[in-house]
């Protein structure tokens, strides 16, 4: 099993949206970064777990745990002219963008803030991609030791 951190702005997609979805499951669509796309397409596997992380909020941080329930498949929003994720250069015969399906496992008892995570950057969370300067990826891998430590903060 692998672990991930998936960022979202709560105004775009929130834990409440995921909880309200049928079977608490939905597609993680709209990723338009090649490195993140490669993770969705090639590395995320059914059964992997991911932190749902809120970015661009007053208190950015981890709010929930999700599970990957469907592995990477072409993102149809790239082909839909009416969708704000539309990509005119994407071809359904040779898809450029991929997505996975995620299911809410549970909300965290509290938000584990970015500030709190940074407090452990020099030791327990050394090397965590989220804490690297300049990291702006919406999806990053999380090492098993980091996953376990972050959960201990809850």
């Amino acid at each position: 099993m692998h672990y991930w951190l998936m960022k979202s702005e709560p105004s775009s997609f929130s834990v409440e949206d995921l909880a309200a979805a049928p079977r608490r499951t939905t597609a993680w669509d709209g990723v338009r970064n090649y490195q993140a796309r490669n993770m969705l397409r090639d590395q995320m596997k059914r059964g992997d777990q991911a932190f749902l992380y809120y970015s661009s909020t007053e208190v950015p941080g981890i709010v929930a745990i999700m599970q990957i329930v469907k592995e990477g498949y072409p993102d149809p929003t790239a082909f839909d002219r009416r969708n704000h994720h539309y990509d005119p250069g994407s071809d359904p015969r040779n898809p450029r963008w991929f997505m996975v399906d995620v299911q809410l496992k549970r909300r965290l008892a509290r938000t584990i803030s970015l500030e709190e995570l940074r407090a452990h950057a020099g030791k327990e969370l050394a090397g965590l991609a989220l804490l690297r300067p300049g990291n702006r990826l919406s999806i990053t891998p999380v090492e098993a030791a980091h996953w376990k430590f972050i959960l201990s903060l809850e």
Side-chain angles (χ1 to χ4, degrees):
M1 176 187 323
H2 292 99
Y3 300 99
W4 305 93
L5 184 137
M6 301 172 79
K7 293 181 186 176
S8 179
E9 295 178 12
S11 60
S12 297
F13 181 79
S14 69
V15 68
E16 289 78 15
D17 295 326
L18 184 53
R23 295 179 326 207
R24 299 163 43 125
T25 301
T26 193
W28 193 271
D29 63 3
V31 173
R32 298 297 182 263
N33 171 283
Y34 287 105
Q35 192 174 354
R37 183 270 325 257
N38 293 347
M39 288 182 242
L40 289 166
R41 184 189 64 194
D42 305 330
Q43 297 173 0
M44 286 187 167
K45 301 296 178 199
R46 192 170 190 267
D48 286 358
Q49 293 192 16
F51 287 127
L52 174 57
Y53 176 91
Y54 283 169
S55 62
S56 300
T57 62
E58 189 176 321
V59 180
I62 298 169
V63 298
I65 298 173
M66 306 181 295
Q67 183 166 327
I68 308 306
V69 294
K70 184 174 181 182
E71 295 180 16
Y73 61 99
D75 182 346
T77 66
F79 316 122
D80 182 353
R81 292 180 188 273
R82 297 170 308 225
N83 192 288
H84 64 281
H85 295 300
Y86 174 65
D87 177 6
S90 195
D91 180 353
R93 294 178 306 265
N94 185 22
R96 180 181 296 172
W97 305 113
F98 285 73
M99 61 188 193
V100 297
D101 287 358
V102 296
Q103 182 178 57
L104 178 63
K105 296 272 297 177
R106 69 178 179 89
R107 298 171 196 243
L108 295 186
R110 65 179 187 86
T111 299
I112 301 173
S113 71
L114 177 58
E115 183 179 327
E116 185 175 357
L117 296 171
R118 283 183 176 149
H120 300 281
K123 191 173 179 189
E124 296 93 349
L125 296 178
L128 182 67
L130 174 71
L131 304 178
R132 291 185 191 138
N135 175 55
R136 300 201 32 88
L137 284 175
S138 61
I139 298 171
T140 56
V142 175
E143 294 177 19
H146 291 158
W147 180 272
K148 185 176 177 181
F149 179 77
I150 291 168
L151 287 178
S152 78
L153 297 173
E154 186 182 13

